[in-house]
Amino acid sequence: PTRRLTIRMCFLIWVRIQKKSAPIARRFIATTPHLVPAKPFQPAQCITTKPLDLFLMQKRHILIAGGGIAGLSAALALEQNGFAVTVFEKAVEAQQSGAGLQLTPNATRLLEKMRVLPRLVDLAVPVDAIVLASARTAKPVLTLSVGNAVERWHAPYLAVFRADLHAALHDEAKSRVAITIHPGSEVTDFAAHANGVTVSVTSDKGVSEAEGMFLVGADGVWSNLRARLSVEGASFSGSVAYRKMLRADMLLPAALRALLDGRQVGAFIAPKAHLVAYPLRNCSTLNLVAITRGARSETDWNGRGSNVALPSEFGLLEPELAQFLMKLRDWSSYPIHIMKPDQKWSDGRSMMLIGDAAHAMAPFGAQGAAMAIEDAWTLAACLAAHRSEPTLALPAYENLRRQRIKHIARRTEINRFAYHADGLTATVRDRVFRTFSGKFMDGLDWIYAFDAAA
């Protein structure tokens, strides 16, 4: 009787969580003008800038702090809306190391509009399925088919190497005459005034200033600009991620080989930990990300460790998989930091934070990069709609983005709870996954069908 009562309680808890999430999704779908049937996926058309437009762009000069995914996406979106853009990036050279990324349809449809997607097709892997498996048996408990993403959501679902996405964004930005990129230059301060904004830029040549009509803060989770808003900084989530890239031609456990052969994103879920694996670069590489509880040790996103080994929790996985993982060395580790989505994003006049600088989130929903790309496109559209009075773009942007970010952050937290469930809660979770797989597919529509360009 006690066991039945416990199982019943776990099931009721799960139902309550779903009821909290589903109404949000329904309200979001019903009220936002952005979730509309997208146009079928088509190759991008070449767009050229007319010479007359260049003079106008100089009167619409926007500065961007940060040349990562958020910053370069913003530069491209702004240029397409008739602005001249200057990007200041702290790094002297783009780093070729890093992690894999899942680019879901809500992101790839915007990358197509930015003319970036064609630069990725030779390296990205179209994902056929998302598979959640028991870490102790390596047997699937939930399979979500996303191979029909173009038909269902009108844009592809891709797995890419972060450095490849960054290179594609960078190369496209460099090809546009109205975008200027300054590597090795960090925006350390700014001041708003009647004519726009002035920024202080630090480089190996010293400190200089630049002026523009608006400043976009895309300088990441350790944002200098956010500190100027006197808001709480990023906080350690309590979880640490361990990353490693493997060659596809090495001897792999059957569970990992199946992901490569099937072009699948796999998550092996266990109490308080999980392992994500998926192919990259035309299935020539396997990306591994192991996440568990841990201590804060680094502030650098890359958090490189020398000969870091996996924590003992991963030794409890399916025997063949566990033995393989625990023998691997030289993992890189980094603590996961998050931001509260309801914090201040803007100075109210001439600066707006986007991406991780505004709302860094845990990777349990694979939406970090997608949210940055959505932010970039939406902010560009809002500034274009209020060219003569950029201050009015700030509330317009927040009205469009803040609820969306809150909903995604909440779904991320639900995923974390589900992935790391233990005991009877995990038993009920697996049973629900197996029984209601179709419902989980429907639950992706409000995320993936969202069109920030609509």
Side-chain angles (χ1 to χ4, degrees):
T2 302
R3 180 181 177 84
R4 288 198 300 270
L5 178 60
T6 304
I7 292 176
R8 177 178 173 80
M9 289 177 64
C10 292
F11 181 74
L12 290 174
I13 291 172
W14 178 87
V15 170
R16 186 174 182 182
I17 291 174
Q18 292 301 309
K19 283 184 176 180
K20 281 185 176 180
S21 178
I24 290 173
R26 287 195 295 270
R27 289 199 305 272
F28 193 76
I29 292 171
T31 59
T32 179
H34 292 274
L35 197 55
V36 298
K39 295 181 180 179
F41 176 71
Q42 296 177 346
Q45 299 297 315
C46 180
I47 302 175
T48 58
T49 302
K50 297 179 181 179
L52 180 61
D53 291 340
L54 297 180
F55 173 76
L56 296 176
M57 284 180 175
Q58 299 307 316
K59 300 295 184 180
R60 303 165 183 165
H61 185 203
I62 293 183
L63 310 177
I64 299 178
I69 292 173
L72 291 176
S73 296
L76 293 170
L78 287 163
E79 188 271 350
Q80 288 181 209
N81 278 279
F83 295 97
V85 184
T86 299
V87 180
F88 299 99
E89 166 52 36
K90 179 180 179 181
V92 176
E93 294 182 356
Q95 297 178 349
Q96 292 302 309
S97 61
L101 287 175
Q102 296 174 57
L103 289 176
T104 48
N106 50 310
T108 56
R109 70 166 45 90
L110 298 179
L111 292 175
E112 168 64 21
K113 295 177 188 298
M114 296 175 190
R115 311 197 296 278
V116 171
L117 205 56
R119 296 179 180 270
L120 283 173
V121 293
D122 291 336
L123 294 172
V125 175
V127 177
D128 283 342
I130 302 169
V131 180
L132 302 186
S134 166
R136 291 183 174 172
T137 65
K139 294 181 178 179
V141 295
L142 177 65
T143 299
L144 303 174
S145 176
V146 295
N148 65 339
V150 173
E151 290 75 25
R152 180 164 184 151
W153 299 301
H154 307 294
Y157 190 128
L158 304 176
V160 302
F161 188 38
R162 177 184 286 270
D164 292 340
L165 172 60
H166 186 270
L169 289 165
H170 185 271
D171 291 348
E172 180 60 30
K174 290 285 286 184
S175 73
R176 302 193 188 183
V177 67
I179 298 177
T180 303
I181 301 174
H182 293 289
S185 302
E186 182 180 16
V187 176
T188 54
D189 203 355
F190 74 96
H193 48 73
N195 294 324
V197 63
T198 299
V199 301
S200 177
V201 181
T202 302
S203 68
D204 59 359
K205 298 178 181 179
V207 179
S208 60
E209 291 185 345
E211 292 189 359
M213 63 170 284
F214 194 85
L215 173 63
V216 179
D219 50 346
V221 68
W222 307 115
S223 170
N224 287 325
L225 302 185
R226 187 180 63 236
R228 288 291 316 279
L229 300 182
S230 300
V231 298
E232 183 180 344
S235 60
F236 177 49
S237 67
S239 295
V240 177
Y242 300 81
R243 303 195 308 266
K244 191 165 183 65
M245 307 279 281
L246 301 177
R247 296 193 320 274
D249 59 2
M250 69 185 299
L251 185 62
L252 297 171
L256 296 181
R257 176 60 59 185
L259 298 178
L260 273 171
D261 294 343
R263 298 193 306 184
Q264 299 171 345
V265 173
F268 300 90
I269 51 181
K272 302 178 182 179
H274 74 281
L275 171 75
V276 176
Y278 50 88
L280 298 174
R281 290 184 165 174
N282 284 326
C283 295
S284 65
T285 304
L286 184 67
N287 181 63
L288 300 180
V289 184
I291 299 178
T292 188
R293 304 295 290 179
R296 181 180 182 274
S297 59
E298 298 276 357
T299 57
D300 181 13
W301 182 90
N302 288 286
R304 294 189 186 90
S306 177
N307 295 317
V308 174
L310 280 182
S312 59
E313 289 92 333
F314 293 94
L316 302 176
L317 274 59
E318 185 269 335
E320 183 188 21
L321 183 58
Q323 185 179 18
F324 175 80
L325 294 173
M326 300 309 288
K327 285 182 178 179
L328 296 175
R329 290 294 181 266
D330 199 25
W331 292 75
S332 60
S333 64
Y334 67 99
I336 298 171
H337 287 76
I338 58 176
M339 292 286 299
K340 296 177 180 178
D342 57 353
Q343 290 197 121
K344 192 176 180 182
W345 293 350
S346 169
D347 71 335
R349 295 183 64 186
S350 302
M351 193 279 289
M352 176 66 75
L353 299 174
I354 65 171
D356 283 352
H359 47 69
M361 58 183 66
F364 297 103
Q367 286 296 303
M371 291 302 102
I373 295 168
E374 286 185 10
D375 285 354
W377 189 275
T378 305
L379 181 57
C382 290
L383 286 168
H386 300 283
R387 295 178 193 274
S388 59
E389 190 63 48
T391 302
L392 298 179
L394 303 178
Y397 171 81
E398 292 206 28
N399 286 339
L400 290 171
R401 294 303 296 161
R402 198 169 284 279
Q403 286 302 108
R404 168 77 168 168
I405 295 299
K406 285 183 178 180
H407 296 161
I408 294 293
R410 184 173 298 183
R411 172 56 67 88
T412 296
E413 184 60 21
I414 291 173
N415 288 351
R416 183 199 64 79
F417 171 81
Y419 288 1
H420 294 177
D422 196 2
L424 290 175
T425 305
T427 300
V428 173
R429 173 204 64 200
D430 293 351
R431 185 169 298 177
V432 169
F433 279 171
R434 292 188 179 101
T435 305
F436 300 104
S437 59
K439 295 293 184 181
F440 285 96
M441 276 297 296
D442 295 341
L444 297 176
D445 288 340
W446 71 274
I447 303 175
Y448 298 165
F450 182 86
D451 188 354

